[in-house]
Amino acid sequence: MSNWYIPTMPRLARLDIAGLLQHVIVRGIERRDIFIDDIDRQNFVDRVATLLPETGVRCYAWAILSNHFHMLLMPTATPLASFMRRLLTGYAVSFNRRHKRCGHLFQNRYKSIVCEEEPYLLELIRYIHLNPLRAGMVASLEELDHYRWSGHAVLMDNRSFSGQETNSILSRGTLLVIFLFSGDAACYFSIDSFCPTGTFPPCHV
């Protein structure tokens, strides 16, 4: 499977402007697991669901794995940094208390990649939602349809998550939320103009 993107640029000042679509990636320190079981995952999801309406941050896609997670976010009224600080600090404290550990949980600061909303939003959603399949968290697309810890099942109307933007996604390009295989990759497919390219859209680190 080819790498979709490999950041190679030096770390730059973080862009945190309202209305910017940002792909956020958070990893566990020393690649350690940050989600041990479903209790941890539900704790994290509940915190996200609470913070999104409080801060006005929009969530278009998300996927929880074992030692990291992805989210596609757009801050509006509240800076992304404030949202992430509340989310990560609260979760880390809860995780450490529950698992009787101390010290840092996450690897350095979170990574945020500013991406163009048009015409790549659907491709970004596809990329993020396919991560559990790529990582072997699920064995098939059918399992991914019902995977509890990804926004894909929400788009498929198999699960609910009030904080996730769904109507605005499903209305774009008359999107059919189905998967088609292309070699070793799978992709969302639109009956209008969206077409999978197999490459990750332009982003700015």
Side-chain angles (χ1 to χ4, degrees):
M1 184 178 297
S2 61
N3 292 324
W4 287 43
Y5 73 104
I6 303 176
T8 57
M9 296 176 60
R11 179 174 293 172
L12 304 177
R14 192 189 304 280
L15 293 175
D16 197 346
I17 303 172
L20 284 181
L21 187 69
Q22 303 205 39
H23 178 190
V24 174
I25 308 167
V26 177
R27 301 185 183 279
I29 191 169
E30 298 176 343
R31 299 184 179 181
R32 298 178 184 175
D33 286 351
I34 55 177
F35 304 102
I36 304 299
D37 54 27
D38 284 352
I39 296 177
D40 287 338
R41 296 180 182 92
Q42 189 63 56
N43 178 11
F44 180 83
V45 169
D46 289 345
R47 291 175 183 276
V48 173
T50 298
L51 284 174
L52 288 174
E54 287 184 7
T55 59
V57 173
R58 297 173 182 171
C59 178
Y60 294 95
W62 57 281
I64 295 174
L65 290 90
S66 295
N67 63 0
H68 70 287
F69 67 85
H70 296 256
M71 300 185 77
L72 186 59
L73 303 173
M74 181 185 289
T76 57
T78 301
L80 180 65
S82 298
F83 172 87
M84 294 303 300
R85 181 171 57 252
R86 291 178 62 184
L87 174 62
L88 298 184
T89 300
Y91 179 75
V93 170
S94 175
F95 182 94
N96 283 352
R97 182 184 299 117
R98 178 169 184 254
H99 296 289
K100 297 180 173 58
R101 68 179 298 276
C102 59
H104 295 292
L105 179 62
F106 302 110
Q107 175 182 299
N108 301 320
R109 64 177 188 173
Y110 66 91
K111 179 183 296 183
S112 62
I113 305 171
V114 176
C115 301
E116 297 178 40
E117 182 177 356
E118 301 294 350
Y120 298 111
L121 179 62
L122 300 183
E123 189 166 357
L124 281 162
I125 293 171
R126 173 190 71 169
Y127 173 81
I128 290 173
H129 286 170
L130 281 170
N131 269 277
L133 182 61
R134 293 192 191 96
M137 306 293 291
V138 295
S140 66
L141 293 171
E142 289 74 20
E143 287 188 29
L144 186 63
D145 287 349
H146 298 274
Y147 182 61
R148 293 175 60 186
W149 314 117
S150 164
H152 172 67
V154 180
L155 285 178
M156 295 293 289
D157 201 27
N158 291 325
R159 295 194 177 275
S160 61
F161 181 57
S162 59
Q164 182 176 339
E165 300 281 335
T166 54
N167 292 336
S168 61
I169 299 303
L170 297 176
S171 64
R172 286 174 181 256
T174 320
L175 176 66
L176 294 180
V177 189
I178 61 176
F179 281 98
L180 295 180
F181 279 107
S182 177
D184 60 355
C187 54
Y188 285 111
F189 180 74
S190 167
I191 61 174
D192 287 342
S193 60
F194 178 68
C195 180
T197 63
T199 59
F200 197 75
C203 298
H204 309 284
V205 179

